[in-house]
């Protein structure tokens, strides 16, 4: 296992993600996983939650009787995950560099892989996942594809105010490089002192063809693609496309 240094780019965001976004996203996602993944797994299957964030989805899977290992590159995210999903195992590591034995029946990665900034690095993630899966293991993840980015990255401004942090975020999108940027400016209360916060988060979008080709090159098979406008598995609006593949 390598790359055990926490990523400060996401450490600062952990509190807001835990308090504002994670529970809603996990409730939406577990419904989709029920239909696309869990019906194909044995009881007490061993699942790796790659880029697990603050652990709300891991907890929902634990309640259903699955064995869960969560992996994330943010120590702050994992601190929340260990509290939210106390029966899970959690590892600090980067998705591009982790090495795990093939003990998992499934690997999931939700709302995370757009933070992988080029196709070569995305293939590294896929290769690591393939190594960690048992034969016939299932890999399911979601991404915002190019068409999703064009509607999502709308140059909007968002203001967030809480008791111990406040900031403004501005979205922008470079259509030539296919990169979305969120620039965050504000303040955060740390050890009873307000400290300035300046942060830029980047997301990379890929085409469906690029993702399918990358999965095939590292050895995945039987890839199926699910998106809101064509698939009854989605009960609510989704900006993400889901990919399901087998080792």
């Amino acid at each position: 296992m390598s790359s055990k240094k926490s990523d400060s780019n996401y450490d600062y965001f952990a509190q807001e993600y835990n308090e504002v976004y994670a529970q809603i996203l996990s409730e939406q996602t577990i419904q989709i996983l029920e239909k696309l993944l869990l019906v194909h797994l044995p009881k007490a299957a061993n699942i790796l939650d790659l880029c697990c964030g603050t652990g709300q989805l891991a907890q929902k899977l634990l309640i259903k009787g699955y064995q869960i290992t969560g992996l994330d590159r943010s120590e702050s995210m994992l601190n929340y995950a260990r509290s939210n999903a106390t029966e899970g195992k959690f590892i600090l590591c980067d998705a591009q560099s982790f090495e795990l034995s093939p003990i998992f029946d499934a690997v999931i990665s939700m709302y995370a892989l757009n933070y992988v900034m080029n196709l070569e690095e995305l293939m590294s993630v896929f290769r690591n996942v393939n190594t960690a899966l048992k034969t016939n293991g299932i890999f399911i993840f979601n991404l915002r594809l190019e068409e999703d980015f064009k509607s999502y990255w709308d140059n909007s401004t968002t203001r967030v105010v809480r008791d111990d942090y406040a900031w403004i975020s501005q979205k922008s999108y470079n259509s030539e490089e296919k990169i979305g940027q969120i620039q965050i400016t504000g303040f955060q209360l740390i050890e009873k002192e307000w400290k300035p916060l300046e942060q830029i988060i980047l997301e990379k979008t890929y085409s469906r063809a690029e993702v399918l080709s990358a999965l095939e090159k590292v050895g995945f098979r039987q890839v199926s693609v699910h998106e809101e406008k064509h698939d009854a598995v989605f009960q609510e609006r989704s900006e993400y496309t889901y990919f399901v593949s087998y080792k």
Side-chain angles (χ1 to χ4, degrees), residues 27 44 59-61 71 77 86 100 194 208 225 227:
E27 289 172 359
Q59 175 62 8
K60 290 185 182 300
L61 292 167
L71 184 149
M77 291 279 190
T86 57
L100 293 174
W194 285 99
R208 179 193 302 245
V225 182
E227 55 186 340

Side-chain angles (χ1 to χ4, degrees), residues 78-126:
L78 290 178
N79 286 338
Y80 284 109
R82 294 183 182 107
S83 176
N84 292 327
T86 57
E87 298 301 315
K89 300 176 183 178
F90 294 97
I91 300 169
L92 175 65
C93 197
D94 191 283
Q96 297 173 42
S97 57
F98 77 94
E99 299 176 10
L100 293 174
S101 300
I103 62 172
F104 295 98
D105 299 287
V107 176
I108 63 175
S109 189
M110 300 290 114
Y111 312 106
L113 296 186
N114 285 113
Y115 297 111
V116 178
M117 294 308 296
N118 62 62
L119 195 57
E120 182 178 341
E121 292 175 348
L122 187 65
M123 286 183 65
S124 294
V125 175
F126 290 169

Side-chain angles (χ1 to χ4, degrees), residues 13 16-17 21 25 111 114-115 143-158 160 169-174 178-184 201-205 237-241:
F13 185 58
E16 185 187 2
Y17 186 78
Y21 302 106
L25 289 175
Y111 312 106
N114 285 113
Y115 297 111
L143 281 168
R144 284 195 186 102
L145 298 181
E146 287 181 64
E147 55 269 30
D148 303 313
F149 259 64
K150 291 175 182 177
S151 60
Y152 177 75
W153 292 93
D154 53 6
N155 296 308
S156 64
T157 299
T158 302
V160 177
S169 63
Q170 175 69 49
K171 293 177 185 174
S172 61
Y173 179 59
N174 185 319
K178 300 179 183 178
I179 292 177
Q181 174 180 292
I182 303 177
Q183 183 168 355
I184 298 172
I201 296 178
L202 301 177
E203 292 190 33
K204 172 73 173 177
T205 184
R237 184 177 181 275
S238 175
E239 299 161 350
Y240 290 82
T241 298

